[in-house]
Amino acid sequence: MKNRRLRIRPIIIILITAIYIAWPISPATASQLPYETYYKDGFGQLVKTQAAYIPAGIIIGTDIEITEANQAAGAEGKTKLQLNQPKDLFVDDKDHIYIADTGNNRIVHLDEHGQYIREIKVTESPLKKPSGIYVDEAGEIYVADTGNNRVVRLDQEGKLLKAFGRPESSYLPPTFKYDPVNLIVDKRGFIYVTTLGAFQGLVQLDPEGNFISFFGPNRVSFSLFDAFKRFVYTREMYQRELKKLPGAIAGSTIDKNGFIYTVTKEISSDQVKKLNIAGLDQLVGKGEFAALQPVRSYGEVFHRTRQSVSPQLNDITVDAAGNFTVIDSVGNMISQYDSNGNLLFFWGGDVITATSKTGIVKAPAAIASNSKGELLVLDSVNNFIQVLRLSEFGHLVHEANQLTQEGRYEQSEPLWSEVHRLNAQYTPALIGLAKAAYKKEEYARSEQLFYQAGVVGGYSESFWQNRLTWFQKHFGVLMNVALVLGVVYLLWNALSKKLRLKGKSSVKRSARHPILEQLQHMFYLIKHPVDGFYAIRYENKAGWLSSILILVFALASYGYIQAGTSFVFNPAVHVGIDLFPITIQFALIWLGFVISNYLISSLLRGEGRFRDVFYGSCYALFPIILIGIPVTLLSNVLTLNELAIFKFLKLFIVLWVVFLFIWMVQGIHNYTFIEAIFIILLSLLALAIIVILIFILISLSIELVNFINSLYQEVIIR
C-alpha cells in the first residue's frame, strides 16, 4: 500500500504542475494586459469592457537579422535590422509589410510573418527622408519622398518609374509649400498627397502627376467672437488680424470601396472624414447617437479633465469590414469605430511604462491592418511595430456588428446575445438586439432596448409602431368616447341657452376672496396684456401672495418640463436630471432681471415701483404653467416625425413669455413698445454686469480668506 502511494504521488505532482503551467496561458493574455479597454456611449458614460485586442508580438527591434554580402572578403555576415525614426507603415494584399524608414532614407520590405525581405533605396535617385508609403494592387510602390519634395513611383523590383515633383498649375498659389508626407492611390491611379501643413486639403494628381484639385479640405471654425469681430472691425483692423485657417490633414487611407478617410490634428471635432469620390463626408449625420451629438468628435480619452489638449490624431486604418481605427499621438490612445462612425472600443496605457510593456506604444506614428484583422502600430521612438490581434470578445463584436451593418439583424441576434451575456453594459450589444427585435416586429422589446441603449431614433421608430398598434386596437372605443363627448357638449350648450333665456337670477353672487380675484386676473391679462399690466400698477390687481404662488407654480412647471419631457425630445432624461441647480439658476436669472429692470427704469423715467415690477414679472411667467405642462404631457405621445409640432409649441411658449415681459415693461412703466424693448435690452446688459461683479466679488473674497488663512498658519508655526 505504501509503495502504491509512492508511485501515485509523482503522477499527482506532475499533473498539478502541468495544470498550473497550462491554465494561465489563455486567460492571462487578456486579463494581465498593460492597458484597459473601454466603451463610451453618446452620453459620455464610460463602460469598461473585455479587451478587444491583445498583444501578439513585436516586429523589428533586435529579433530580425539580415544577411549582408561582404564583397571584399567574399563572405556573408549577420547584422541586426535597425530602424531609425520610421514614419509610415503599409500592409499590402499579401500582408507584406512596408516601412518608411525615414532616418535611414529607405523603404524596408517584410513578409507576412515580419521576416526581412529587402530594403529599397532607389540607387538611381536616392530617397531622402521618405515619410509615406503606398503599394497598389499591381505591386507598384509609391513613396512620399519628403526630403526631395516629390512623390516617386517604383515598380515591383523597386526600380524608379517616375518622379512627381511640385505640380505646375495656375491653381496652386506661389506660396504653396509642397512637402509630401503621406499618400494614397485609388483604382484609377489618381494620387492623393498629404502635404505638410497643407490646410487646402489633399493634393489630387492624375496618373501622370498633373494637378487636378485640392480634395477634402476642412472647414474654418467660426465662433461667436468671430461674428462679433466681423460686425465691429474695420477693413484695416481685419488686415492686421492673423488669418484663421482650417486644420491641415495629417494622414489618409483608402478602403476597398474607394472611400478616402482623412484625419486632422488641429481641430476638436470632425477629425475623421469618410469622403466619396465627390469629396463629401459620409459620416455626417450617421451614427446611432447622431441626435445627441450633432457635432462629432473622434479620438477618445479616459479622463478629459486630465487632458490638457484635445486628442491629436495622426493616422488611420480601415479593415475589410469597414471598421476604422485611429491613433492619438498625444494620449497614445487607440480608438476603433465601425463604418458609420459608431465607437466600438478604445484603449491605451501610461506613456511612462511604454518602453517596457508589450502592447503599449510610446510614440505611435502609423497604424495598419492586415487580412487577419490584426493591427500593426508603428512606434517611432522604440523603432518597432506592435502587433495586436483580436481577442475572442473583439472577434465576436466584429462579427455581430458586421451582420448588423449589412442588415442581417436576425442572424446577428445570437452573437449579440452572447456579447450581452459577457458584458451587460456594452451598448452596441443592446443596439444590435434592439434592431433584431424590431426586425422581428417585437416593437415593445425593441423600444425598451433602444431606451436602455439611449438611441433616440430607434426608440422613436419603435414607439411609433407601438402607438399605431394601440390606436388600431382601441380605435372603436376612442370614436365612441368622442361621440359621447360631442353629444354631451351639444346638450350642455342647448341647456345653457334655455337657462339664459329665463332671465337674470335674483340671487347675488357672493364676493370672492381677493387672492382668487388676483389669480383670475391672469386670464384677463392674457387677452389684454397691456391693460392687464397697467391694472396691476394702478388698480392693485395683484398682490404678494398671488404673485409668489404664480412664481412657485412657474418654477415647478419649469422643473417638470425639464424632467418630464419625453426621451425622444430630451435625451438627457436617460441619465437623470438634477432639478435643483436648474430651478435655482432659473430663479436667480429671473430675480436678477427684476432688480436690473427696476434700476434701469428708475433712471429712465419709469413709473413702476419695485413691487409692481415683481408682480408683473411673476404674471409674465404664466404661459409656462398654462402651456408648458400640456406640451410636456403631449411630448410623451409624439415621435420624431412630429418634431416640428413640438418645436413650434416650445417656441410659442418662449415667444409668448418674451412678449409678455415687453408688455409688462410697457404697462408697468408707461413706455411705448419700442421704448420697452430698449429698456429690456439695457436690463439684460445690467444683469450681465451684476453677474460679473458678483463673480469678481466672490473670487476676491476667496482670495482674501486664503490669504488670512495662510497668514494665520504662518503666525501659528512661528
Side-chain angles (χ1 to χ4, degrees):
M1 187 70 177
K2 185 176 180 179
N3 294 334
R4 184 179 179 183
R5 289 180 179 176
L6 291 174
R7 289 195 301 268
I8 294 175
R9 185 177 297 174
I11 298 174
I12 295 175
I13 293 174
I14 293 172
L15 288 174
I16 292 175
T17 304
I19 292 173
Y20 177 78
I21 294 173
W23 178 259
I25 288 178
S26 55
T29 55
S31 63
Q32 299 178 359
L33 295 177
Y35 52 79
E36 294 179 336
T37 304
Y38 284 88
Y39 170 81
K40 185 170 66 176
D41 62 15
F43 301 95
Q45 299 180 112
L46 286 178
V47 175
K48 188 176 180 180
T49 73
Q50 292 87 335
Y53 287 84
I54 58 178
I58 293 176
I59 298 177
I60 307 296
T62 59
D63 59 339
I64 294 183
E65 292 184 346
I66 61 175
T67 302
E68 288 188 348
N70 190 335
Q71 297 179 356
E76 293 184 351
K78 297 284 186 178
T79 183
K80 299 291 184 182
L81 177 62
Q82 184 63 46
L83 301 178
N84 184 11
Q85 297 180 348
K87 293 292 182 64
D88 198 17
L89 179 70
F90 185 84
V91 178
D92 67 7
D93 296 337
K94 300 177 182 178
D95 286 344
H96 283 207
I97 304 168
Y98 295 81
I99 306 169
D101 191 6
T102 308
N104 290 323
N105 300 319
R106 63 179 177 176
I107 304 298
V108 176
H109 182 191
L110 309 176
D111 65 11
E112 65 273 20
H113 304 296
Q115 299 300 316
Y116 175 82
I117 295 180
R118 58 174 173 165
E119 67 176 8
I120 303 172
K121 289 190 173 183
V122 192
T123 55
E124 59 269 37
S125 181
L127 302 175
K128 183 180 180 181
K129 304 295 182 183
S131 299
I133 179 71
Y134 186 90
V135 182
D136 64 13
E137 295 179 352
E140 292 186 348
I141 305 168
Y142 294 79
V143 181
D145 193 8
T146 309
N148 291 319
N149 306 109
R150 63 178 183 172
V151 171
V152 297
R153 177 184 171 194
L154 313 176
D155 64 11
Q156 298 182 14
E157 305 301 324
K159 301 298 183 182
L160 181 64
L161 294 178
K162 196 166 186 179
F164 307 102
R166 187 185 189 279
E168 297 294 333
S169 174
S170 58
Y171 295 102
L172 285 175
T175 57
F176 177 74
K177 192 175 181 181
Y178 187 68
D179 293 324
V181 293
N182 185 266
L183 77 165
I184 54 176
V185 183
D186 64 16
K187 294 181 179 180
R188 303 170 299 169
F190 280 62
I191 308 169
Y192 300 82
V193 183
T194 304
T195 58
L196 185 63
F199 58 87
Q200 297 93 338
L202 300 177
V203 178
Q204 186 181 17
L205 308 176
D206 66 11
E208 300 301 320
N210 300 312
F211 177 77
I212 302 297
S213 65
F214 288 108
F215 185 83
N218 294 301
R219 293 183 178 180
V220 179
S221 59
F222 191 76
S223 63
L224 185 62
F225 184 63
D226 294 324
F228 174 77
K229 289 194 296 184
R230 176 174 291 185
F231 179 75
V232 174
Y233 281 19
T234 62
R235 181 182 296 273
E236 291 75 15
M237 296 172 67
Y238 250 116
Q239 290 176 349
R240 290 195 295 268
E241 281 279 303
L242 292 175
K243 290 184 178 180
K244 194 170 185 179
L245 303 176
I249 296 174
S252 60
T253 190
I254 188 169
D255 65 11
K256 62 180 181 180
N257 297 318
F259 289 106
I260 294 175
Y261 298 73
T262 62
V263 289
T264 306
K265 284 185 177 182
E266 294 87 2
I267 56 178
S268 58
S269 62
D270 292 329
Q271 301 97 327
V272 178
K273 290 182 172 61
K274 179 181 179 181
L275 306 170
N276 60 12
I277 194 172
L280 301 177
D281 188 6
Q282 302 301 295
L283 296 178
V284 175
K286 297 290 184 67
E288 303 296 346
F289 299 107
L292 299 174
Q293 301 171 336
V295 178
R296 298 290 298 274
S297 179
Y298 299 90
E300 313 299 330
V301 294
F302 292 134
H303 307 286
R304 283 201 178 273
T305 56
R306 295 171 53 188
Q307 197 80 1
S308 58
V309 294
S310 301
Q312 301 294 301
L313 308 183
N314 61 327
D315 200 17
I316 183 171
T317 185
V318 185
D319 62 19
N323 305 313
F324 61 89
T325 310
V326 296
I327 52 175
D328 177 9
S329 59
V330 173
N332 303 304
M333 303 296 297
I334 302 176
S335 306
Q336 187 173 82
Y337 305 83
D338 68 13
S339 57
N340 288 324
N342 298 304
L343 179 66
L344 295 177
F345 310 100
F346 70 98
W347 66 95
D350 192 357
V351 179
I352 298 175
T353 61
T355 57
S356 59
K357 290 189 177 182
T358 303
I360 298 183
V361 185
K362 185 174 180 62
I367 187 170
S369 56
N370 58 25
S371 62
K372 295 179 287 186
E374 296 176 335
L375 294 177
L376 287 76
V377 186
L378 180 64
D379 191 326
S380 61
V381 170
N382 293 320
N383 298 318
F384 56 58
I385 300 172
Q386 292 274 9
V387 181
L388 305 174
R389 65 175 175 83
L390 273 171
S391 65
E392 293 184 7
F393 182 77
H395 180 76
L396 190 62
V397 170
H398 276 206
E399 186 177 357
N401 191 67
Q402 184 175 0
L403 292 173
T404 299
Q405 296 293 323
E406 295 173 355
R408 296 187 285 175
Y409 304 119
E410 296 182 32
Q411 292 177 260
S412 69
E413 186 175 16
L415 300 178
W416 283 128
S417 297
E418 179 63 16
V419 174
H420 184 63
R421 186 188 68 81
L422 295 172
N423 191 333
Q425 295 180 321
Y426 188 61
T427 303
L430 293 173
I431 298 174
L433 292 173
K435 291 183 176 181
Y438 187 90
K439 180 69 174 180
K440 294 161 63 176
E441 299 184 359
E442 298 175 359
Y443 301 122
R445 181 168 179 262
S446 66
E447 179 184 336
Q448 179 186 5
L449 289 171
F450 276 126
Y451 181 80
Q452 292 178 11
V455 178
V456 175
Y459 175 85
S460 176
E461 290 294 328
S462 301
F463 179 77
W464 189 90
Q465 294 290 348
N466 288 324
R467 188 182 66 178
L468 178 63
T469 303
W470 187 89
F471 271 112
Q472 290 174 343
K473 184 177 180 180
H474 299 87
F475 180 76
V477 176
L478 293 174
M479 291 303 298
N480 290 330
V481 171
L483 181 62
V484 170
L485 291 176
V487 172
V488 170
Y489 177 75
L490 293 175
L491 292 175
W492 175 260
N493 280 342
L495 184 61
S496 298
K497 289 180 181 179
K498 289 182 179 180
L499 292 175
R500 283 196 297 269
L501 291 175
K502 292 181 179 180
K504 297 181 180 180
S505 175
S506 60
V507 181
K508 294 183 179 180
R509 293 187 302 175
S510 59
R512 295 185 179 182
H513 195 280
I515 294 180
L516 294 178
E517 292 184 355
Q518 291 172 357
L519 293 175
Q520 187 180 10
H521 184 68
M522 292 186 300
F523 298 97
Y524 175 81
L525 188 145
I526 290 174
K527 297 179 181 179
H528 310 282
V530 178
D531 294 339
F533 286 115
Y534 186 86
I536 290 177
R537 169 66 180 88
Y538 295 101
E539 300 176 14
N540 296 322
K541 290 294 185 178
W544 286 104
L545 185 57
S546 61
S547 300
I548 290 175
L549 283 175
I550 295 173
L551 176 61
V552 170
F553 278 112
L555 290 175
S557 300
Y558 181 76
Y560 175 69
I561 291 171
Q562 298 300 318
T565 302
S566 169
F567 166 69
V568 175
F569 306 108
N570 186 18
V573 300
H574 182 267
V575 294
I577 296 177
D578 189 0
L579 292 179
F580 181 76
I582 294 175
T583 52
I584 292 297
Q585 181 183 19
F586 180 83
L588 291 177
I589 292 176
W590 175 87
L591 181 60
F593 174 81
V594 171
I595 296 173
S596 61
N597 180 258
Y598 171 71
L599 295 175
I600 294 297
S601 61
S602 298
L603 297 174
L604 299 176
R605 65 173 183 78
E607 299 179 6
R609 298 162 295 185
F610 179 78
R611 68 178 185 180
D612 300 325
V613 178
F614 182 86
Y615 297 161
S617 299
C618 290
Y619 276 69
L621 299 177
F622 183 58
I624 298 177
I625 307 171
L626 183 64
I627 304 180
I629 294 177
V631 169
T632 303
L633 293 172
L634 182 64
S635 70
N636 290 278
V637 297
L638 298 178
T639 67
L640 285 177
N641 296 326
E642 294 89 29
L643 178 62
I645 298 175
F646 180 76
K647 284 187 173 181
F648 171 77
L649 294 175
K650 294 274 287 187
L651 180 62
F652 179 73
I653 296 173
V654 173
L655 292 178
W656 194 1
V657 170
V658 169
F659 276 104
L660 282 179
F661 270 97
I662 296 174
W663 289 322
M664 183 272 294
V665 174
Q666 182 181 358
I668 293 292
H669 298 294
N670 197 16
Y671 288 132
T672 64
F673 186 80
I674 301 299
E675 289 175 338
I677 295 176
F678 178 70
I679 293 297
I680 285 180
L681 293 176
L682 289 180
S683 301
L684 294 176
L685 179 60
L687 176 60
I689 295 173
I690 291 173
V691 171
I692 294 173
L693 292 176
I694 292 175
F695 177 77
I696 294 174
L697 179 62
I698 293 175
S699 300
L700 292 177
S701 300
I702 293 174
E703 291 294 332
L704 179 61
V705 170
N706 292 335
F707 173 74
I708 294 174
N709 184 51
S710 300
L711 187 62
Y712 174 76
Q713 295 293 335
E714 287 288 338
V715 172
I716 292 298
I717 292 173
R718 293 183 181 181

